[in-house]
Amino acid sequence: MKTLNRLNYCLRLLFISLAFFCFKTSRASNFNAPKDTVNQTNKFKLKTVIVDAGHGGFRTGASGKYSVEKNVTLQIAFKLQKAIEKELSDVKVVMTRTTDDDILWQKRSDIANEAKGDIFISIHCNSLPNKIIRSASGKKTSVANRSGKGVLLLVYGFHRTKEEEKAIKETRLNDEEEMDAVIDPNDPAAMILMNEYKRKYRKQSVRFASILNQEFIENDGRRSEGIREQGVLVLCHSAMPAVLVETGYINNPDEEDYLNSEQGQNQIVATIVRALKTLKTEVEA
């Protein structure tokens, strides 16, 4: 009887959520993401945003001529925190780091999961590896490749879906009153609910990345490399929609100046806030 009740509970959740997460197609993206159609009975609220400043401590990240990724991402993260608190006053912001300390990737996901975040935004700077130049004599020389330009949005890759399942089980399913048993892969009710969480988070991740991508291109005039899947631990271990934002190529001199400027950082922050407002409006309509 308990399994039947849980199955009925999961089926209700499935039916409610079917109309909830459809997505709009993104330009400059490999994903087909039609626009959300929101079920009016859904009670989802965007209440907690996790802001993750990439790298820290001895893990400096990518570097340019005069700056390193860990410092730029923390500056942007602080500005983003203040902007969200000002413009989305009903939304709580949780920072994964506020100092130069190195926070391990798993710890960042733990912070996000413990806070029951509704979306995880990881801020990073990009760079290109050196390129090999071969001279007429055949000698190979490694030279800096400073040609990279623009933003890139990352969502977790499907090859790490088992890790996301573990995070969802530990963070979300244990909160469900009717799903308090250990998740059994042979239990259809448990697996329906697990798959619904995975589907919902995946589509919300792609949708938010799509909104961001459009904002960067159409409102900021930034070049974009679109949305890609990547096996980023901090994304797949966070039991919530999650997007990693490569804000620009720090080893490109022009991009480095932009990423370190007040104007550039403020523009990046404003873009993320606009995207959050759009997402919030869609899911809470």
Side-chain angles (χ1 to χ4, degrees):
M1 179 61 71
K2 183 176 180 180
T3 299
L4 181 59
N5 289 337
R6 290 162 62 192
L7 181 57
N8 288 333
Y9 169 78
C10 294
L11 288 173
R12 291 198 305 272
L13 176 65
L14 176 62
F15 294 144
I16 288 173
S17 60
L18 281 176
F20 187 77
F21 297 103
C22 300
F23 300 96
K24 175 180 172 185
T25 301
S26 167
R27 286 171 43 184
S29 168
N30 295 327
F31 291 93
N32 185 17
K35 188 176 181 180
D36 273 40
T37 54
V38 182
N39 187 304
Q40 297 299 317
T41 64
N42 197 288
K43 302 301 182 183
F44 178 84
K45 297 289 184 182
L46 183 62
K47 297 182 293 185
T48 303
V49 174
I50 311 299
V51 176
D52 173 50
H55 299 276
F58 70 92
R59 291 189 304 109
T60 59
S63 61
K65 185 177 180 179
Y66 59 85
S67 64
V68 292
E69 181 176 5
K70 67 171 186 176
N71 295 334
V72 173
T73 60
L74 189 58
Q75 291 166 9
I76 294 174
F78 276 131
K79 287 182 171 67
L80 181 57
Q81 177 190 29
K82 292 179 181 178
I84 293 172
E85 290 173 346
K86 179 181 178 180
E87 299 189 40
L88 294 164
S89 57
D90 59 336
V91 174
K92 177 183 178 182
V93 179
V94 175
M95 304 275 283
T96 61
R97 74 176 178 100
T98 57
T99 68
D100 186 44
D101 292 340
D102 177 37
I103 307 297
L104 297 178
W105 298 121
Q106 184 58 54
K107 178 61 177 175
R108 295 169 192 255
S109 294
D110 291 343
I111 291 170
N113 292 337
E114 288 168 8
K116 298 293 193 296
D118 297 304
I119 194 159
F120 184 99
I121 305 171
S122 190
I123 308 297
H124 285 257
C125 299
N126 218 338
S127 68
L128 289 175
N130 289 353
K131 55 184 177 181
I132 304 299
I133 303 297
R134 186 188 297 271
S135 68
S137 63
K139 182 180 179 181
K140 295 180 180 179
T141 305
S142 177
V143 298
N145 185 353
R146 308 190 188 283
S147 63
K149 186 176 182 180
V151 297
L152 172 66
L153 293 313
L154 300 179
V155 297
Y156 81 90
F158 277 119
H159 63 287
R160 301 193 76 159
T161 187
K162 291 297 182 184
E163 294 165 82
E164 191 203 20
E165 287 182 6
K166 183 175 183 292
I168 291 172
K169 174 187 176 299
E170 294 174 350
T171 306
R172 305 292 181 173
L173 295 191
N174 288 339
D175 289 342
E176 300 290 348
E177 293 181 2
E178 298 184 56
M179 295 295 290
D180 55 357
V182 175
I183 300 302
D184 181 356
N186 297 315
D187 182 344
M191 296 317 296
I192 286 173
L193 187 56
M194 172 65 78
N195 289 333
E196 268 309 295
Y197 271 112
K198 286 165 55 180
R199 188 183 69 84
K200 178 176 73 172
Y201 294 160
R202 172 69 175 184
K203 289 188 175 181
Q204 277 192 335
S205 298
V206 174
R207 177 58 185 149
F208 184 58
S210 300
I211 298 169
L212 274 171
N213 194 59
Q214 186 174 0
E215 288 286 347
F216 277 124
I217 294 171
E218 295 185 359
N219 290 316
D220 297 345
R222 298 291 307 281
R223 180 180 181 276
S224 174
E225 296 183 348
I227 306 167
R228 297 180 189 171
E229 291 183 353
Q230 200 167 104
V232 181
L233 184 150
V234 75
L235 298 183
C236 63
H237 284 207
S238 298
M240 63 201 69
V243 176
L244 188 150
V245 184
E246 295 281 10
T247 55
Y249 282 84
I250 197 171
N251 69 336
N252 175 318
D254 293 336
E255 292 262 297
E256 182 179 20
D257 290 343
Y258 176 82
L259 293 171
N260 280 274
S261 69
E262 284 292 314
Q263 178 184 356
Q265 292 183 2
N266 288 338
Q267 188 177 63
I268 291 166
V269 166
T271 296
I272 296 173
V273 171
R274 287 196 308 271
L276 280 172
K277 287 180 177 179
T278 299
L279 181 70
K280 191 174 191 296
T281 298
E282 288 183 0
V283 300
E284 294 183 3

